[in-house]
Amino acid sequence: VCLVEDKPVLAEPKGTTQNFFEESPVLPTSSFTMAEDVQAALDEMVPALKDLQDRGVFSSNEIHQIVDRRRSTEYDVRRSTNPRKADYLRYIQDEMNLEALRQLRTKKIQQEERERERKEGKKDDKKEDVAGMEKPLGDKHIVKLIHNLWRRTLIKYGKSDVGLYLQYAEYCKEIKAHAALSRILAEALQLFPHQQGLWIEAASHEFFVLGSRVFSHAPEAQQDLWIQLFCLELHFCERLSARSTILQGGASKEDGKNKETVAGDNDDDDNAKSDRHKIAKLVYKNAVAAIPDSVSFRLRFWDQCRLFSDTERLQQEIVESTRTDLCKDNAEAWMAWALFQWERKQNRKEEDQDKDDGSDEEEEEQEENNSQDGSTKKRSAGSIASKGSASKKLKSDSGDEGDAWSVLDILRRATQELPTEEMYLKAVRMITRYIATLQQEEEDEDEDEDPDVALGFELLETLFDEAAKTQFFSADLVMEQTLLLQRLNKKEAAIKCLEDFAEQKPVTEALKVWIYLAEISEKGPIPILTKALGGADMNHPSYYEVLLHLFGAKLEAQDDSNLLALFQKLVLLTPGFLPISEIEEPIFGIPHAPNACLQFLRYLRSKGDTVHARKVYRTVIFESSLGNIFNEFDEDMMVTFVEEAVALEQDSSGKKADKRNALVRLLEEASKLFEDTELGRKYQERLREVKLAGPPTNEGALFLEDTTMGTGGSANLLNEKFNKFQVVFLRRDCSGAINRTPIDFGGLFDGLTDEDKASWCIETPGRHQDENVAPVEFLGPSMPAQRGYCSFLVQKDESAYRNTLDRLPLQNPLSGIHWHYPSSALWLFVGRNPLGNLNLRGRPEHTDSITNDGTWHFQYSGQKTWFLRPSQQLLDHFKKYNVATNCTASTRIRVECRQGDILCVNTRLWFHSTAIPAQETKSISYARDFYLKEFEAGRGDNGQSVEGQGSMTNLDGLYAVENIEEGTVIFSEKDMPDCELHSSTNPNCEVVELDDGTSALVSMRSIKAGEFFCVAESDSEDDASGDEEELSVEHNHCTVVPGI
């Protein structure tokens, strides 16, 4: 609902509907009936809307908007041809949003009214009558309309869409419309009787909301429904118990002392509790009759009982029925019986401790002695026999006599009655947990050892000896036996057990044993896994898993022997064992084949073995189908693998042309691998960058990479090279000096004058950086994820300029050259581009309007990439002085500047742009403009500029690169570069409208080469605002300048 100004309040609702509906559309005769129905429906809304307007909930304009929307939607849902369900749902959602707004505004109005009455001193006498007051007509109107819309929707689409009923039911629950909810659930169950979710929802609503119980009318084969019905009965019993406690007023301490007297016989009390669960028992009995042979189904009932209090007798009956009916041939039934006895023992022990806490110290000692004597006698009478002797028989099927069986008795009898691998394995594991729990309790409570501990170890030994003589003695049983021996500090016996089993069984059956033996054996994993690999069947998955473990073990031990051969086996076998499976707990760090290839590539890179590392990534990406297989399995890992390969080629030594060709091929394959994805587009962008850089052009003539330069001869060589090519690149290693003199650039900027701070400029096109971030924060060590490229000048504050120069690791590139600087200006460039991003581009390609010979840039930290292209003036220079080069106007040269490198370049003759590669550190460089020949005038002996020399600015501008006559179209609107025009009181160009309706910049007078374009100053600064567009064409008459 749009909020607009109020308009005159409507008159009486009757006879004034034209105020609401005056914009009713003119309809053809065939539509009169529908139009009349719509109008009639809207007429019925008038009183309610009038009430909302009178009470200030909605304004007159808002009422008009509501009516217009409802009219339009009513026509949509009433059209006879092709009505859409989406129109109904949209109508309902709009009304629900309107109701939410009405509630907020009504609440606000009521709060304001109460606040006003409080200030006036009036008492709130209406509080008691609020509950009985009827809601205003307008407050009920929207909810009533929503119910009506839901009914219309269900009539039209509900018979085939149960989701609509569920949505309507959810809305009824939100607004607590219980009667409507009951009605809608009943209707849904009639239409969709086989939807078990509806039955559960209906039963839950009837029980928890309305307080009544529902017997299931659902299909009897649905397990979830039986469980839910059982839980409802337990909830009902719990509620009755709580209500009984409240009515009796609770139990006092005195009543607690006489608990047995008040309660009477314990058996009667148990029977009373059991009687409360009669209906729950009936539900369980009917459920078991419907699904008789499922142990897991019966155990789900037991699990639910354990969540409620006073259900021990019910639990016992469930376990007893499971034992009686299914223990004969079902291991789960035996385990449930044993677990039940274990829990009963725990509960009784806790009850005894609670009783002991309330007695005197002397009585406690006496009871402890008696209980110890009694328990010892009981255990002696009911203990299991040693190995070779028969254990006692089941006394009876009754629950009372069944209580005499201990956990160990039950598990021993289970292995005798059901001698299978599953039963032995489950019994061994439960006994192991049982013993560990008893020992932990003894340690925590400082008690004597429970006799079951020694008997448990004895029974485990018996079970292992018996299993070893059977055909089902498996690797899992051997593993359990080994863990037990290790726990008893018998490592040699554990290893012997593993070795014997591994020798007797094939690798396919003993795979776990071989792997664990490799982990704990003193021989080391490599010889054991090598032996296992030799005995395995190459066509079985066990061979492939052993191969992965062996490969990981060799990488972990840095054992290079046969490592490449194992990698080749892995490459050949992987396509035959698809889909790729992952080892859940890789002992040697290799969970699957993609990870193995990635770790192998990293391992070879760390060793500097570029040849074999290149073979690894080429095998995966170029020479096999593994690239696509790995990408489907784990795209992130495949991206990491490709990035490792790219980093390998970028860091490799050798000819730059070979590196470029390798990168091009690698990025081409990566683009195909991630085709039609965002990753693919990123790799295509990187591929274009590498291709645009082009092959190195006359590299030996253009660049100097001598790290020992510093003599007079070197100075002459630099002068010669620079005068010829107007660019020199010096590869230097100054990392030691840089690391000894770290500079806080954030603190440096914070200490500058306001004039120098005003030079802060965002170099990044497209405004990648958040301009709200303070420069000090961007320059500081924090915000590692910040992405941006900025620059500033140090020149106005002479003291700061000198102090900064003194702290820099390099003030002059070569000591053998007498550098002359036209001004006291120091440029600083800082870029952040965290790993995982594309290259961060600086300003578009441009030349600078400078008069000095050039600028040297020193890379203080990180990396920066320069792209150079000769201008026509530079090509004329090459031709004039017969410079041997094959550069053309389209030649682009890529220069990778790393820490310590220096680039001397004439930015007036070389078109240039920069990019910040993704990296972990900041890219920081500083620059100074220089002359190689001293000024004839205005120059001191030390080569520094004299006071009054023009200062530098950090602004964009457009200037003419050639003389332009008056009336020349410099560029049109569509060719406008990414730079704003300067304004001046003496403009030399103006914006005019061409015949085709587009705008263009036209010269007002003759403009000389080097003169900046400027237009007349605007009356309002807002006139100059506009969206920036990237420069996408080359201009014949102008150049973008980032530093004037």
Side-chain angles (χ1 to χ4, degrees), residues 423-439:
M423 189 67 256
Y424 268 81
L425 186 60
K426 288 180 178 295
V428 165
R429 288 174 175 171
M430 177 171 276
I431 294 170
T432 303
R433 292 197 308 271
Y434 181 62
I435 294 174
T437 302
L438 293 178
Q439 290 180 328

Side-chain angles (χ1 to χ4, degrees), residues 21 90 135 143 175 189 232 269 373 399 411 481 558 562 583 598 605 615 637 663 707 733 964 992:
F21 316 122
R90 177 169 51 84
K135 287 186 177 181
V143 174
I175 65 173
L189 286 172
L232 288 177
D269 186 54
D373 293 340
L411 295 176
Q481 185 177 8
Q558 297 186 1
N562 297 326
I583 300 175
L598 177 60
R605 278 196 65 201
K615 182 175 180 59
M637 183 165 291
L663 278 174
T707 60
D733 183 9
I964 298 176
V992 300

Side-chain angles (χ1 to χ4, degrees), residues 770-829:
D770 183 359
E771 296 185 7
N772 296 322
V773 177
V776 175
E777 296 179 359
F778 182 79
L779 297 171
S782 61
M783 297 191 315
Q786 180 65 30
R787 190 168 183 247
Y789 183 28
C790 304
S791 65
F792 64 95
L793 272 163
V794 181
Q795 65 172 346
K796 299 296 184 181
D797 189 340
E798 188 68 22
S799 175
Y801 172 76
R802 291 297 174 188
N803 291 336
T804 304
L805 280 179
D806 293 340
R807 295 171 61 187
L808 294 175
L810 187 73
Q811 298 183 10
N812 294 303
L814 294 176
S815 58
I817 297 180
H818 189 53
W819 300 87
H820 305 287
Y821 301 104
S823 63
S824 299
L826 179 67
W827 299 82
L828 290 104
F829 302 88

Side-chain angles (χ1 to χ4, degrees), residues 10 52 201 249 306 344 414 471 506 527 543 848 897 906 980 999:
L10 298 174
L52 291 171
E201 181 69 29
R306 294 157 75 183
R344 294 194 69 181
Q471 296 295 326
Y543 183 94
D848 296 337
C897 287
N906 185 338
E980 293 184 0
S999 300

